[in-house]
Amino acid sequence: MELTLVPRYRRPATALLDELLGQDEVNRMLAARVSALGTAYRPTVLDADPLVGHRMPDITLRAADSPAGRVYDLLHTARFVHLDLAPAPGTARYTDREHRTRVTTALVTAHDDHPDLRGATEVLVRPDGHVAWASRTTDPKTRRAERSAALTAWVG
């Protein structure tokens, strides 16, 4: 059996690496980088919401019109997912015939609190799980116009 000695200068680095790998936050960050799930795309619009281009958090949600329990459950169809996080009372499911076959819409009645989603009223998630568009607007007319423009730009 051959005995390999670790040079003295490697001992502190090895100890530091052991300490870092013992932390959940470091492990999550490394896993996101290795798997490319931490990849963010630069938004094409300068005033885009900070969510745009980042991976949508896989939050637990309850939707009035869907049995899905998490955001990523909605992505299995390989379609865009439109999350209405603040549906107005009596809001009907988004039914624009032009986009209906390519977009899954969920009227979210409750969801996990996530710092990136605070104040967000609507989110359009690409089939790969990255946010294409997000709004924090509460005015219904403005939301409708922004949603229409986003769907036209992304879905066609």
Side-chain angles (χ1 to χ4, degrees):
M1 176 165 92
E2 184 178 320
L3 181 63
T4 306
L5 297 175
V6 177
R8 250 182 240 185
Y9 64 87
R10 284 192 182 169
R11 287 182 190 150
T14 303
L16 176 62
L17 188 57
D18 285 344
E19 184 180 334
L20 289 173
L21 290 176
Q23 298 178 17
D24 289 340
E25 191 172 325
V26 172
N27 284 322
R28 277 192 293 277
M29 186 225 25
L30 290 173
R33 286 193 181 180
V34 168
S35 66
L37 292 177
T39 302
Y41 300 96
R42 186 180 299 198
T44 55
V45 180
L46 293 177
D47 62 346
D49 189 271
L51 277 172
V52 174
H54 293 273
R55 188 106 173 135
M56 176 67 188
D58 188 24
I59 57 170
T60 300
L61 54 81
R62 193 172 39 233
D65 53 353
S66 172
R70 301 190 70 80
V71 170
Y72 290 4
D73 293 341
L74 296 168
L75 294 172
H76 291 292
T77 60
R79 295 167 48 163
F80 279 83
V81 173
H82 170 243
L83 299 171
D84 190 341
L85 300 173
T91 302
R93 183 183 176 112
Y94 181 74
T95 56
D96 184 331
R97 289 182 187 181
E98 194 175 332
H99 303 116
R100 183 175 28 199
T101 59
R102 299 186 60 202
V103 178
T104 299
T105 300
L107 300 175
V108 180
T109 56
H111 62 84
D112 285 346
D113 182 40
H114 192 283
D116 294 343
L117 294 172
R118 288 190 189 128
T121 53
E122 294 188 48
V123 179
L124 181 64
V125 184
R126 300 181 341 193
D128 67 356
H130 286 82
V131 176
W133 165 80
S135 177
R136 296 178 192 270
T137 304
T138 56
D139 176 59
K141 287 183 182 180
T142 306
R143 282 177 64 181
R144 193 174 315 116
E146 287 180 1
R147 178 190 322 116
S148 180
L151 287 168
T152 300
W154 281 98
V155 182

